[in-house]
Each structure stands twice: as C-alpha cells, then as structure tokens.
Amino acid sequence: MPLGRLLLRTSAVNKMISRNSFVASKPDPSKPNMLRVGLAFGSTAFLWALLFKQHSTDVHEYKTRNGLQ
C-alpha cells in the first residue's frame, strides 16, 4: 500500500474518531461565568500590585545607590 494512501486512510479514521469529542457552543453573553471573570480581574489586580511594589522597590534602591536619600 503506498504511503500516501495509508496517510489518507489514517487521517480519515482520526477525523471520524475525534469529530464527536468536542462540542463547540458560543458562550451566552447574558450569563457571564463569574468564576472566570473573578479570576481574570483578581489576577490583573495582583499583577498591578506586584508591578507597583517592584517599582517602589526599584526607586528606593536607585535613590540609595545615588545618595539621593
């Protein structure tokens, strides 16, 4: 059996097996997933707090090194 025909046959079998594995549905915008929303906003707030803390640490170190404090 030629290699091309074998590959075509295996890809057809894979499509038949995996076609029904996942069901695609559009998310309903009137019912947001509050867990995901909370995680998104919480992680964003955490990263901003980390950024501000790192910035203030960097400014303090800069002032200490250059004798400005």
Side-chain angles (χ1 to χ4, degrees):
M1 180 179 290
L3 182 63
R5 182 179 257 175
L6 180 65
L7 289 176
L8 283 175
R9 189 171 291 193
T10 57
S11 68
V13 169
N14 285 340
K15 284 181 184 176
M16 288 178 8
I17 291 171
S18 65
R19 179 170 287 171
N20 294 328
S21 296
F22 301 102
V23 176
S25 62
K26 293 183 180 179
D28 187 9
S30 65
K31 298 179 194 172
N33 186 347
M34 295 312 288
L35 178 64
R36 291 180 74 185
V37 171
L39 285 173
F41 282 125
S43 61
T44 302
F46 174 75
L47 288 174
W48 274 104
L50 208 64
L51 179 71
F52 284 129
K53 181 184 177 297
Q54 184 65 45
H55 175 70
S56 64
T57 305
D58 290 344
V59 168
H60 183 269
E61 183 180 345
Y62 172 79
K63 288 181 179 180
T64 305
R65 286 185 182 209
N66 291 325
L68 299 174
Q69 199 172 23

